[in-house]
């Protein structure tokens, strides 16, 4: 959940469409701005997602962000930090609704939290205070990851799983796997007790391909072949059909295809819970044999 309100994007997207001579995109930006003036926030799409997932009978994970990164006026790469600033209290009502109705609420670590224990600790504690519940799942913002430092921080803060391991440049298997795993800390000679659920498909990366659906089929069929996990990252803002036509439709189409193929569609917490049960069952079986 990066932005809950549209801000600097009115400038950056408008300039991009002007450079591209994309008059349809420019027209939609104007419509979006008029809609905002009338009180309809383009990037507040929670109700649309809830309605869609209820119809599909699936419930996903929502990772909420508390961004505190510094913004530099002449460095446009930092503008997004300002646009993504919101307080957990601003989304407290929708977070509690999601939690009460069976969706998972997790933490989207801020841009610099992946290697800052104290910063991530504050973010986790604040989210848990607002939610009145322990938070067990995380995905780092921008997929920032320092191995094994980030995982050590996650472990020390009590996260049960992390779904950062992926790419926002391409889809597929970043570490050559679609299976959850506990990583080995070679320096400390032990397993890090935070289940890694690899990210396989991010929306932005998928739509960089000429034929996104064809690329999706290639990946999902490979995951099915190996009996792995197909983790999908869809930003909530792209469920705004005016500015992101077909993105929500693609999400629905993927879910429908996976349901047709017999996939178990669930959230990160349930995958983590099932994986622990699986390991415990295997350990119990082995103990019964060798004891």
């Amino acid at each position: 959940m990066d932005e809950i309100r549209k801000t600097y994007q009115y400038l950056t997207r408008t300039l991009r469409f002007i450079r591209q001579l994309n008059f349809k995109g420019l027209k939609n930006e104007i419509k979006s701005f008029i809609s905002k003036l009338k009180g309809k926030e383009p990037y507040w799409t929670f109700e649309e997602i809830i309605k869609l997932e209820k119809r599909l009978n699936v419930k996903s994970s929502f990772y909420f962000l508390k961004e505190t990164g510094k913004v530099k006026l002449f460095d446009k790469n930092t503008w997004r930090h300002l646009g993504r600033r919101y307080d957990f209290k601003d989304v407290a009502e929708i977070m509690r609704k999601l939690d009460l109705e069976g969706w998972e609420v997790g933490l989207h670590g801020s841009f610099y939290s992946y290697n800052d224990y104290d910063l991530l600790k504050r973010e986790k504690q604040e989210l848990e205070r607002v939610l009145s519940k322990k938070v067990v799942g995380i995905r780092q913002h921008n997929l920032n990851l320092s191995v094994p430092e980030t995982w050590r921080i996650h472990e020390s803060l009590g996260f049960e799983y992390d779904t950062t391991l992926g790419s926002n440049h391409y889809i597929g298997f970043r570490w050559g796997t679609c299976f959850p795993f506990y990583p080995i800390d070679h320096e400390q000679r032990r397993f890090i007790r935070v289940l890694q659920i690899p990210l396989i498909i991010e929306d932005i990366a998928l739509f960089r391909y000429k034929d996104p659906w064809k690329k999706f089929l290639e990946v999902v069929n490979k995951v099915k072949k190996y009996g792995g996990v197909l983790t999908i990252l869809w930003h909530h803002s792209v469920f705004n059909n005016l500015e992101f036509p077909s993105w929500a439709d693609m999400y629905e189409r993927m879910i429908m295809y996976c349901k047709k193929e017999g996939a178990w569609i669930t959230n990160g917490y349930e995958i983590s819970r099932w994986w622990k049960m699986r390991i415990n069952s295997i350990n119990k079986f082995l103990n019964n044999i060798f004891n």
Side-chain angles (χ1 to χ4, degrees), residues 109-148:
S110 64
F111 195 86
Y112 299 105
S113 70
Y114 71 100
N115 61 1
D116 189 327
Y117 171 88
D118 292 329
L119 177 59
L120 192 62
K121 180 180 180 180
R122 290 196 299 271
E123 293 172 8
K124 184 174 187 286
Q125 288 178 338
E126 184 171 345
L127 179 58
E128 290 176 336
R129 272 197 305 271
V130 174
L131 191 60
S132 299
K133 186 176 182 179
K134 182 181 178 183
V135 172
V136 300
I138 185 169
R139 173 178 285 137
Q140 285 291 344
H141 186 35
N142 203 52
L143 304 184
N144 291 334
L145 182 63
S146 177
V147 176

Side-chain angles (χ1 to χ4, degrees), residues 221-268:
N221 289 330
K222 187 173 290 186
V223 172
K224 182 182 178 183
K225 176 182 178 182
Y226 293 108
V229 175
L230 180 76
T231 313
I232 297 174
L233 187 171
W234 232 246
H235 293 84
H236 79 289
S237 55
V238 305
F239 286 87
N240 166 11
N241 284 315
L242 178 64
E243 298 181 46
F244 299 91
S246 81
W247 289 46
D249 293 339
M250 175 65 79
Y251 179 79
E252 180 176 4
R253 191 179 179 189
M254 290 191 299
I255 297 296
M256 293 294 290
Y257 180 86
C258 292
K259 285 175 73 76
K260 181 173 69 71
E261 294 296 309
W264 175 39
I265 302 175
T266 190
N267 57 45

Side-chain angles (χ1 to χ4, degrees), residues 66-79:
K66 183 176 176 61
E67 186 55 73
T68 55
K70 291 183 178 180
V71 179
K72 300 177 182 178
L73 181 60
F74 299 105
D75 183 357
K76 68 178 183 180
N77 290 326
T78 67
W79 293 1

Side-chain angles (χ1 to χ4, degrees), residues 155 176 207 218:
E155 180 185 49
F207 277 95
E218 290 178 9

Side-chain angles (χ1 to χ4, degrees), residues 49-77:
I49 299 171
I50 290 171
K51 183 179 178 180
L52 172 61
E53 293 201 345
K54 280 185 175 179
R55 178 159 51 82
L56 295 172
N57 194 30
V58 298
K59 291 183 178 177
S60 55
S61 299
F62 287 73
Y63 303 100
F64 286 88
L65 172 73
K66 183 176 176 61
E67 186 55 73
T68 55
K70 291 183 178 180
V71 179
K72 300 177 182 178
L73 181 60
F74 299 105
D75 183 357
K76 68 178 183 180
N77 290 326

Side-chain angles (χ1 to χ4, degrees), residues 20 24 61 84 109 153 177 187 198 201 212-213 239 253 273:
Q20 297 172 346
K24 182 178 180 181
S61 299
R84 289 165 181 169
I153 291 173
T177 184
E187 293 179 8
I201 297 178
W213 181 250
F239 286 87
R253 191 179 179 189
R273 180 169 166 267

